[in-house]
Amino acid sequence: MLHFDPSKKHDAILLVDCLDGNPNGDPDAGNQPRIDPETRHGLISDACMKRKVRNYVVFTKKGEVNYKIFVEEGSVLNDKIEKAYSELKIDVKKKSTPEKQKKARNWMIENFYDIRMFGAVLNTGLNAGQVWGPLQISWGRSYDPVLPISATITRCAATEAKEGKDNKTMGRKELIPYGLFKIEIHYNPGLGDKVSSDDLKLFWESLLNCWEFDRSSSRSSMNCRGLFIFTHDSKWGNVASHKLFDLLSVKSIAPTPRSINDYEINIDGDVPDGVTLWNN
């Protein structure tokens, strides 16, 4: 059973792999897969992971109270801040006060799932302050170097007739043959006073299942390969997170890994007292 007590500290490791796809394209590099230029390890940004969680909530909680998404594709953020003032019937013509800002901020925390979980800057228009979210997601990094490939493709139909009498145009697909990525996650209950057990349960479920809603030609085979959640008995934690993460051993057993079967994944040693491990 998933751990979803919001009054406890949680540290987690998510394992995700990608086969013949682009796990996270870099717009500054022609949408090539993100890599560490020194080690050639693959990278996945925290923003990429949060987008997948947000999309999962949109698909599974659409229309439900208190599960709106603030950072939604195509939306205008300032309009949503204005809606908070409007719903609370706060006169925006009068000077804003800390009390008004607090009311608007609390309304947005209550109504927007991603603000409750990840936090947000809410002073870009009407001022509703800032929210420091209890969940922090690290950049993902592959266990082994990855090989970015840029493959040329042909389109048999042209956009405009002048492009050529055979109406063929060229394009590119960016991918890696394979990569297994580690993503670290931390939940701080000191910042989660507005988070419910259902909120936290939904987050863990999204990490397991969001990949099924994210299929595309560039991510047709990207999957969760493991979720390891360390739950502390105390609010402030019983053991440093890095010591818990060191218990997870992921070793390549092939010269060139090309599937999850080319890795041995184990928990080495005993989980310390005061900490419970759940893994999938």
Side-chain angles (χ1 to χ4, degrees), residues 44-110:
I44 298 176
S45 74
D46 61 318
C48 174
M49 285 304 308
K50 290 175 182 177
R51 178 77 272 144
K52 296 182 191 305
V53 172
R54 288 182 171 109
N55 288 346
Y56 181 82
V57 174
V58 168
F59 291 137
T60 60
K61 294 290 186 178
K62 188 174 183 179
E64 292 193 27
V65 177
N66 301 339
Y67 285 95
K68 300 180 181 68
I69 293 298
F70 179 61
V71 183
E72 198 170 18
E73 293 186 40
S75 65
V76 179
L77 301 184
N78 284 350
D79 288 351
K80 296 181 178 182
I81 300 174
E82 290 178 9
K83 183 174 177 59
Y85 275 77
S86 174
E87 289 290 327
L88 295 169
K89 295 180 171 54
I90 298 175
D91 189 351
V92 298
K93 295 180 180 179
K94 294 183 179 180
K95 184 178 179 180
S96 179
T97 64
E99 183 180 357
K100 292 178 180 180
Q101 294 170 19
K102 183 178 180 180
K103 287 182 178 179
R105 181 169 64 253
N106 287 341
W107 185 91
M108 298 198 73
I109 291 172
E110 181 181 349

Side-chain angles (χ1 to χ4, degrees), residues 32 38 40 45 50 81 91 94 112 147 181 233 238:
Q32 293 180 356
E38 290 187 325
R40 312 299 292 176
S45 74
K50 290 175 182 177
I81 300 174
D91 189 351
K94 294 183 179 180
F112 292 96
L147 177 65
F181 295 79
D233 287 347
N238 298 78

Side-chain angles (χ1 to χ4, degrees), residues 21-45 139-150 174-179 181:
N22 188 347
N24 184 201
D26 185 351
D28 289 331
N31 202 43
Q32 293 180 356
R34 297 181 190 271
I35 61 168
D36 181 330
E38 290 187 325
T39 66
R40 312 299 292 176
H41 287 82
L43 301 172
I44 298 176
S45 74
W139 277 61
R141 176 177 289 270
S142 66
Y143 281 94
D144 291 285
V146 298
L147 177 65
I149 296 174
S150 184
E174 310 294 340
L175 70 149
I176 59 172
Y178 186 76
F181 295 79

Side-chain angles (χ1 to χ4, degrees), residues 144 178 180 250-253 257 259-265:
D144 291 285
Y178 186 76
L180 177 64
V250 179
K251 296 179 181 178
S252 171
I253 55 175
S259 80
I260 191 65
N261 297 323
D262 291 333
Y263 287 91
E264 286 185 348
I265 302 173

Side-chain angles (χ1 to χ4, degrees), residues 207-239:
L207 298 182
L208 293 171
N209 302 320
C210 67
W211 318 98
E212 300 302 323
F213 296 87
D214 195 53
R215 304 293 181 200
S216 69
S217 61
S218 63
R219 293 185 301 277
S220 62
S221 186
M222 193 169 180
N223 301 286
C224 171
R225 293 299 187 175
L227 177 60
F228 302 82
I229 307 172
F230 296 91
T231 298
H232 301 253
D233 287 347
S234 71
K235 181 176 182 177
W236 305 116
N238 298 78
V239 181

